[in-house]
Structures are given as structure tokens and as C-alpha cells.
Amino acid sequence: MGEKSKSRGFLGWFLVLVILALVVGAVVYTIKKKMDNKKDDKPAPVPGPPGSVDKKYSDALKIAMQFFDVQKSGRLEDNKISWRGNSALTDGSEAKLDLSKGMYDAGDHMKFGFPMAFTATVLSWAILEYGDQMEAVNQLQPAQESLKWITNFLVNAHPSENVLYIQVGDPEADHKCWERPEDIKEKRPLTQVNESVPGTEVAAETAAAMASASLVFKAADPTYSSTLLRHAKQLFSFADNNRGSYSENIPEVATYYNSTGYGDELLWAASWLYHATGDQSYLGYVTGENGKQFAQWGSPTWFSWDNKLAGTQVLLSRLSLFGAKGASGNSGLENYRKSAEDVMCGLLPKSPSATSSRTDGGLIWVSEWNSLQHPVASAFLAALYSDYMLTSQTAKLTCGDNSFKPSDLRKFAKSQYNNNKLCFQADYVLGSNPLKMSFLVGYGDKYPQYVHHRGASIPVDATTGCSDGFQWLTSPKPNPNVAVGALVGGPFLNETFIDSRNNSMQAEPTTYNSALIVGLLSSLVTTSSAVKSFT
């Protein structure tokens, strides 16, 4: 009886000690959690000037930048691509204009003004935000030169206030030929928008391109900058005062670059004009009735050549985060910032509102055609917002009950582990994917060899006409010329890729994709604080 009582006593004390240990552990855990939360609430240090260079992203940036040289039209200056030469020298002659410059859109020889202007706007944005990083690896001058090659074309394509030439070439005729751009002999008709045939989205996107580029060249070439800004203001007024979709008014353009609406371009252009001029009327434009009508606050969208809302939200959020004039108490600007945060929350894998639109490997996947556009664009925006948070000493981003640091956004743009599975964007593009293949042509040991690109597929010494050049489209041999820096369309949802010239869905590069990857890689080359003002 005594032994049983004694054992029960020991058992009782043991249970008391266990419970006490659990209580103490819980208290310690709670205190540590609170301390960690306080630590998380403390902003990360603001980065200084560009730090050490990440060679992987530096090498990739140098390669990506070269695709702009591959795509140049006109009389080439200091040509760095051995298999390219002068081309399309008479473009614009039927209207007595020089439209020989600009860049070919993709693997064809079309000049589509809508995506070309978007290319210029994104490239300008990348230079404005990450010019120091580009300069650290000697890529700022090439970026500026490529931008000017486009803006020179856009200036000439706007011969009067309410006329804008938006296309050079006939896509149906162009796509019936497979030839080098240097050998083009077919007629290249012009397409324009004007007061009778308005095209709000393309005019507004061109205004955005001119306004953003005016900031790029403001210090180095103030006269050229003023010219660009004058065109930007005129084009914005033309776009806003003559509202109408170019896809509806010129139905044939819808086959290739159909616009789903022009409200986003109006807000995007006005935002860039505000940054370029400081004119409060442009800020009022985006935060007032037009914002209410077009901004879709609280409804995240994907940034692309067709939809600029997410880009506009991130661009305007810098005004709130950096305390720009007129930002304090501006409910419209707060709506843009909150919408930008919604976009970011949709990207972060551990966010409760994270998108399910991903491959098994973690790549954002929205569209079967040109699938890399959206993940690269999303990663570029995430890198930007991360840098805005760091520089403005914004400690965290709240997504539902979860909070995230600027470093979480940067990891998304770059690479990170989530449930032992990589969720990456930039690294995926560069070869950290199930195929172990880089989608950036010329980078790494393995990349696409059969890029859907006329100039790259035809030997320099070949003599071909319009139709007999198709022998090179169907040739079983890899491209004789490397379309260095081309970002191809990308993988299918099941993470397969068919390396075939006939597979334009996956194997064709686009010039606007190059602007996006250049922006993303520039953000990752090294760390640096964000520029608080573009002026």
C-alpha cells in the first residue's frame, strides 16, 4: 500500500513538472515570437550605391541586351551583330517620312507600333530605376542607344498632332515570306490612326514611351528630351480627346495585337507624364474620375503589352511610398498603392491570396502563347516594389493574416524554396527548370537552337526570294546564326518545350519580352537604393 502511494506521488510530481515545462516553453515561445515580430517590424537597412556584382545576372544582362541589336531596322550604326546588315531603308517613303529605324517585332519583319512603344516604355523604366546597376556592368549606354533607336522611329511616326503611324508592313504578306530582312523587296504599306480613325491605346502607349524616354535623356540631351515630351503631350491629348479602340477601328490589327481596352493606357500615359512634368493635372487625371472608371482598384491583373494596370499601380505607388508632393492624404494614390500590394500578394507563394496559376516548378503561368511574358513582367514589378519598400523603410507587406518583407519579393523575382520546391522566375528562365535549359538564347550551355526567327535561320550568303526561303524554316539543321539575347516564348504548363522553328508559340522571341527581361536582370545585378525621383 505504501509503495503504491509513493509511486502515485512520484507520478503526480512528474506530471506537474511536465505541465510546468510546457507552460514555460509556451511563455518563452510567445515572448520569442513577439520579439521576432518586433524585429520583423524594423525596416531593413537602405542599400547604398551599387554593391558587389552577381556575375550570373550580369552575364545574362549583357546577353539579353544584344537582342535589341538583332532586331534593329534601318541603316545600322556600329553594328555588333555579324550576320545583320542594313534593311528596310525606304520604310515610310510613301508618306515622305523616314520610318527606317525602329525594331522588328519578333521573328518576322513587321513593325507594330503598339508593342514597340511598350518596349520603349519598359526599357525607359528599367533605365530610370536601374541605370546605376546597368552602368556598373557597362550596359547603360547600350540600353540608351537601343531606346533612342525606337524613339527616333516614334518621333518620325508622329508627323502632326493628331496623326500617328502605327504599323509598317502588311502582316499577311510578310508572313507569306521567309527571308532575311536585308533582302526584303515586298511593298511595306503604312497604317495610321487619326481623328477619323482613332486608336486611343496605341497613341497613349506611344505618349507613355515618349514621356518616360524624355526623363532618360533629360540630363544628357535636354533638347531631345524636350522634343520627346512635346510629342508625349500632343499624343496624350490626341488619345484622350479622340477615344476609340484601334482594334475596333482597324480590325485587321486585332489578329496580331488585339487590345482589350484603352483605359489602362490612358492611366499609364498620364502617370508617366506626371513624372516627366510634375503637372498636377496629370495626377488629378489618374486619381479622379478616370481612375474610378479605368483603374480596377482591388482587382489584380497581369502586366503585359496589352494591360498596363499593374505597372501603373506600381509606378504610382512610389509617389505614396516616397512622400511625393501631393501624395499625402490622396485617397486615389492610396488606392493605387493598395492595388499594387494586392498584385504583390498574388505573386508570393505563401500569401493566402497567392495565384494558383503556376507550373509544378513554381513558374507563373498565364498564357500558352509566349508564356514567359507574364512571369518575367511579374518578377520585374516584384523587384521594383521590393526596392521601393527598402528605400522608403517600409518594413512589411501585409497579405491577409501574413506579412512579408521586401526580401520575400526579391526572392520571388529571383528564386526561393517553398515546401522544398523551388518557386523561381529569373532563375527558371536562365536554366533552373526541369529541362535544365536556358530560355535566353546564348546564355548557358543549353538553349534553343531552332529559334523561330527569319534572319537567324538563313545563312548570310544564301540567295533567297520571298517563298523559296521557306527551305530554311523547315531545315532540320540548327539556326546558322545565333539570335543572341532572344527570350523565346517559353514552356507549356506541363513544363515541356518543343525546340522547332515551326513552333512559333514557344520558340519565337519578341522585342517587348527583351525589355522586360532586361529590366528584371538589371534589378538583380547588384543591390542599390531606389531613385526617389526621376527628375
Side-chain angles (χ1 to χ4, degrees):
M1 187 79 176
E3 290 296 325
K4 286 184 180 179
S5 176
K6 195 182 289 185
S7 64
R8 279 200 298 268
F10 281 131
L11 183 60
W13 280 109
F14 177 74
L15 289 172
V16 168
L17 288 171
V18 169
I19 292 168
L20 186 61
L22 290 172
V23 170
V24 170
V27 170
V28 169
Y29 176 79
T30 303
I31 293 171
K32 186 177 183 301
K33 190 77 174 171
K34 286 183 177 179
M35 289 176 70
D36 287 344
N37 285 341
K38 282 185 180 178
K39 201 182 292 182
D40 285 344
D41 288 342
K42 186 179 178 182
V46 178
S52 60
V53 170
D54 188 315
K55 188 176 185 303
K56 174 171 68 173
Y57 300 118
S58 170
D59 290 348
L61 175 61
K62 291 172 184 176
I63 287 168
M65 197 73 75
Q66 294 180 63
F67 191 60
F68 295 125
D69 291 327
V70 170
Q71 294 300 90
K72 284 179 180 176
S73 166
R75 191 173 300 282
L76 303 184
E77 302 164 7
D78 189 24
N79 181 24
K80 301 176 183 68
I81 307 299
S82 63
W83 50 273
R84 280 300 327 275
N86 299 334
S87 64
L89 297 180
T90 60
D91 276 5
S93 58
E94 70 176 65
K96 297 182 179 178
L97 299 172
D98 180 6
L99 299 180
S100 62
K101 287 190 176 181
M103 294 187 187
Y104 299 119
D105 177 62
D108 54 14
H109 301 141
M110 289 299 301
K111 295 178 188 175
F112 291 114
F114 193 24
M116 194 197 302
F118 178 66
T119 301
T121 312
V122 172
L123 185 55
S124 294
W125 196 5
I127 294 169
L128 291 168
E129 299 280 8
Y130 298 116
D132 286 349
Q133 285 91 319
M134 291 180 180
E135 181 66 31
V137 292
N138 301 314
Q139 292 304 296
L140 178 57
Q141 185 178 343
Q144 292 171 329
E145 289 173 351
S146 293
L147 173 62
K148 197 169 185 179
W149 202 267
I150 298 176
T151 53
N152 282 347
F153 170 88
L154 296 177
V155 166
N156 289 351
H158 182 226
S160 60
E161 289 194 25
N162 297 328
V163 173
L164 176 67
Y165 286 88
I166 64 161
Q167 184 174 294
V168 180
D170 175 353
E172 285 197 23
D174 183 272
H175 290 182
K176 288 177 182 176
C177 292
W178 193 271
E179 59 191 341
R180 299 176 69 246
E182 294 79 4
D183 297 330
I184 296 173
K185 295 181 178 65
E186 294 71 39
K187 287 185 178 179
R188 294 183 47 89
L190 306 178
T191 305
Q192 66 169 263
V193 292
N194 50 48
E195 290 173 291
S196 302
V197 186
T200 295
E201 54 277 269
V202 64
E205 182 59 60
T206 309
M210 300 282 210
S212 56
S214 76
L215 288 164
V216 171
F217 297 110
K218 190 169 187 177
D221 192 344
T223 301
Y224 187 61
S225 173
S226 296
T227 298
L228 292 172
L229 190 55
R230 174 171 53 83
H231 281 278
K233 291 176 179 178
Q234 291 176 354
L235 282 163
F236 180 74
S237 295
F238 167 49
D240 193 36
N241 295 332
N242 300 274
R243 292 189 180 185
S245 172
Y246 96 131
S247 294
E248 294 176 5
N249 293 323
I250 312 173
E252 53 268 31
V253 303
T255 303
Y256 298 94
Y257 285 101
N258 179 47
S259 170
T260 54
Y262 55 71
D264 54 311
E265 279 83 19
L266 286 172
L267 298 177
W268 176 240
S271 301
W272 277 113
L273 278 161
Y274 174 70
H275 280 89
T277 64
D279 186 335
Q280 292 291 317
S281 68
Y282 292 115
L283 185 60
Y285 186 97
V286 298
T287 56
E289 289 305 312
N290 290 291
K292 293 174 184 175
Q293 183 178 358
F294 299 125
Q296 297 179 31
W297 292 317
S299 300
T301 54
W302 299 107
F303 186 44
S304 71
W305 63 263
D306 178 42
N307 193 324
K308 318 307 179 343
L309 287 179
T312 303
Q313 289 151 7
V314 170
L315 178 63
L316 290 176
S317 69
R318 71 180 348 267
L319 300 178
S320 300
L321 288 165
F322 296 149
K325 182 182 176 182
S328 180
N330 189 318
S331 60
L333 276 182
E334 276 304 303
N335 285 332
Y336 282 103
R337 179 183 168 181
K338 287 175 183 174
S339 296
E341 290 178 348
D342 290 339
V343 171
M344 297 303 124
C345 290
L347 300 178
L348 292 164
K350 293 184 180 179
S351 164
S353 56
T355 179
S356 59
S357 299
R358 303 176 198 265
T359 65
D360 286 344
L363 182 77
I364 294 287
W365 200 91
V366 179
S367 171
E368 191 172 51
W369 197 286
N370 190 16
S371 63
L372 286 176
Q373 177 188 190
H374 296 101
V376 172
S378 298
F380 175 52
L381 295 185
L384 283 169
Y385 205 80
S386 169
D387 290 339
Y388 293 172
M389 289 177 68
L390 276 173
T391 304
S392 65
Q393 290 284 272
T394 303
K396 61 183 180 180
L397 167 71
T398 301
C399 303
D401 294 331
N402 298 1
S403 61
F404 299 91
K405 295 177 288 187
S407 57
D408 294 315
L409 284 170
R410 194 170 180 83
K411 286 175 185 174
F412 161 78
K414 199 172 177 180
S415 66
Q416 70 171 346
Y417 276 97
N418 178 33
N419 297 329
N420 296 318
K421 181 176 71 176
L422 273 170
C423 292
F424 33 39
Q425 309 306 310
D427 287 354
Y428 190 108
V429 171
L430 299 181
S432 293
N433 55 60
L435 296 170
K436 308 297 182 190
M437 180 181 76
S438 166
F439 292 102
L440 182 66
V441 176
Y443 181 84
D445 297 326
K446 182 183 178 185
Y447 50 81
Q449 301 294 308
Y450 297 83
V451 179
H452 182 94
H453 190 278
R454 286 159 174 76
S457 70
I458 302 174
V460 175
D461 58 357
T463 302
T464 59
C466 166
S467 57
D468 57 351
F470 278 98
Q471 62 180 296
W472 303 108
L473 170 65
T474 56
S475 169
K477 296 179 181 179
N479 286 355
N481 309 309
V482 179
V484 62
L487 181 65
V488 296
F492 286 137
L493 180 58
N494 64 2
E495 293 177 305
T496 59
F497 178 84
I498 301 168
D499 191 7
S500 166
R501 270 188 294 272
N502 269 311
N503 181 18
S504 56
M505 184 182 290
Q506 289 187 293
E508 185 171 21
T510 58
T511 308
Y512 55 87
N513 270 9
S514 289
L516 291 165
I517 192 68
V518 161
L520 173 58
L521 293 171
S522 298
S523 75
L524 300 176
V525 161
T526 181
T527 56
S528 178
S529 56
V531 179
K532 290 190 176 182
S533 173
F534 295 143
T535 55

